Amino acid sequence: MKSNAERSASPDVCAIIVCAGKGERTGLNYNKVLHYLGQKTVIELVLDAFAAYDVSSAVIVCSPEDEARIKELAAPYDGVSLCYGGATRAQSVRNGLRAQPCDVAVIHDGARPFASPPLINACIRSAVRNGSGIAAVKAVDTVKRVQNGKVSSLPRAELYNTQTPQAFTYADIMQDLIKSTPVGARVGIGFDVHRLADGRPLILGGVTIPYNKGLDGHSDADVLAHAVMDALLSAAGLPDIGVLFPDTDDRYLGVSSMLLLDEVVARVTVGHRINNVSAVVMAQAPKLAGFIDAIRKSLSARLGIGADSVNVSATTTEHMGIIGNGAAIAASASCMLTENHG
Ligand code: MG
């Protein structure tokens, strides 16, 4: 959005435009940033406002479902990139900030198309001078404080409702985000291995992979889903899947492990929020690189977190052992849960 000469004379400003929400509150069955106001969508009007200020770059934080459409709408604008949102707004902002280091970050709600270029400019100038600059309006409603059952009024003249844009020097906001790393985090680990057999489908993370063999087991033998489930259960301090879904129980004969994962997610999210999951699949064959994205999306949909919070890698064992000779596939997973005080 700016020439190099202009950039060297002024701070490198990046707009972080958060569009990861859904249209539920507005009654739309699609993200409201995609709603047309006249000739343009809400997100285009927001990009117009930031282009008028001439920010150096912009990161649009969106959900995987909206990625293709937003990419299309943002294509005419220079310096715009996309990243996925997280489970909370704070995580979405964090993802956006990490995607584009800069001097000053201007965080803006993608569903607010009426932030004027002068308002954006004032927030940025304040951030350059004072470290931060936040759009706010004087409180209209009376706000009460309830403390130990006693109700008191707060002086309305001193109260403001914050809005966006909110501009911060990058170093300061990143330091604050590091400080606000959730307490009560719990990590978990899981491991599983299944034998490869003829006449079975190969299912990993809920995705069917074309191959001449599949994993053998009581359920669909989705070794990756099993490792992920055990990681989640271990983090939550719950019994493992061998206890929850015993292979002596015919209810689980041939069952999709995705249904078991739903059950595990329901159990661990009582009192916890899933922060992220990382897993590795150990297989000599087939090559899994082309399926990793689909597996991440499949697992993230079940886990209720963004695909960027689910990482899956694949490795061979260099032809060594039962995995290397093609007799079995193994998977290991770790995860982090945070205490849910909501
Ligand atoms: Mg298993």
Side-chain angles (χ1 to χ4, degrees):
M1 290 184 172
K2 269 190 179 182
S3 73
N4 282 337
E6 284 170 313
R7 221 167 261 164
S8 61
S10 53
D12 186 9
V13 178
C14 178
I16 309 293
I17 302 168
V18 185
C19 304
K22 297 262 185 298
E24 282 151 6
R25 248 192 314 172
T26 48
L28 299 170
N29 59 356
Y30 55 90
N31 191 328
K32 54 187 175 287
V33 307
L34 302 175
H35 190 69
Y36 274 90
L37 291 177
Q39 302 292 308
K40 291 192 173 182
T41 57
V42 169
I43 184 64
E44 288 171 284
L45 295 172
V46 169
L47 287 169
D48 284 345
F50 280 95
Y53 172 78
D54 208 8
V55 294
S56 318
S57 57
V59 177
I60 300 177
V61 188
C62 66
S63 63
E65 303 90 81
D66 295 329
E67 183 182 9
R69 179 66 181 136
I70 290 180
K71 203 176 256 180
E72 194 182 323
L73 293 168
Y77 299 86
D78 290 334
V80 179
S81 58
L82 269 65
C83 77
Y84 290 151
T88 63
R89 188 177 188 280
Q91 271 184 358
S92 294
V93 168
R94 199 171 301 164
N95 292 352
L97 288 165
R98 287 211 183 106
Q100 187 65 60
C102 54
D103 297 327
V104 173
V106 196
I107 299 157
H108 188 61
D109 181 348
R112 290 181 191 262
F114 303 119
S116 65
L119 176 66
I120 294 169
N121 192 8
C123 289
I124 292 168
R125 275 184 314 159
S126 172
V128 169
R129 256 196 328 262
N130 311 311
S132 65
I134 292 174
V137 290
K138 265 192 171 301
V140 176
D141 298 323
T142 302
V143 180
K144 302 278 187 188
R145 172 194 276 144
V146 182
Q147 238 177 349
N148 302 326
K150 270 184 70 181
V151 181
S152 57
S153 286
L154 297 177
R156 194 164 59 192
E158 295 172 10
L159 299 178
Y160 288 81
N161 291 323
T162 58
Q163 300 196 326
T164 65
Q166 302 185 349
F168 304 92
T169 53
Y170 190 79
D172 286 343
I173 183 85
M174 288 309 276
Q175 207 176 11
D176 280 353
L177 285 173
I178 292 162
K179 271 192 242 151
S180 63
T181 298
V183 288
R186 300 174 64 108
V187 297
I189 185 164
F191 176 82
D192 197 19
V193 58
H194 279 262
R195 194 183 298 278
L196 278 162
D198 292 327
R200 297 266 305 178
L202 175 58
I203 301 167
L204 294 172
V207 175
T208 304
I209 315 280
Y211 191 48
N212 60 6
K213 288 177 179 183
L215 293 170
D216 202 12
H218 188 69
S219 65
D220 64 358
D222 184 335
V223 69
L224 173 57
H226 293 185
V228 168
M229 285 191 274
D230 270 347
L232 293 167
L233 291 165
S234 88
L238 293 171
D240 66 24
I241 53 170
V243 176
L244 288 185
F245 314 116
D247 61 8
T248 48
D249 189 333
D250 279 351
R251 280 182 301 165
Y252 306 121
L253 185 63
V255 72
S256 164
S257 295
M258 291 296 103
L259 299 179
L260 305 182
L261 180 56
D262 290 345
E263 170 70 26
V264 166
V265 168
R267 286 180 189 229
V268 303
T269 52
V270 176
H272 298 98
R273 208 164 51 76
I274 302 169
N275 192 69
N276 73 302
V277 168
S278 285
V280 55
V281 179
M282 292 155 254
Q284 193 63 45
K287 282 272 168 276
L288 297 173
F291 300 97
I292 295 290
D293 277 350
I295 291 172
R296 288 175 67 183
K297 280 185 184 160
S298 162
L299 286 174
S300 72
R302 297 289 177 162
L303 294 165
I305 58 178
D308 57 332
S309 299
V310 180
N311 205 40
V312 177
S313 57
T315 184
T316 69
T317 59
E318 303 278 338
H319 299 282
M320 292 180 287
I322 54 165
I323 292 162
N325 70 16
I329 291 179
S332 173
S334 61
C335 71
M336 183 182 281
L337 304 181
T338 48
E339 278 172 18
N340 189 355
H341 297 289

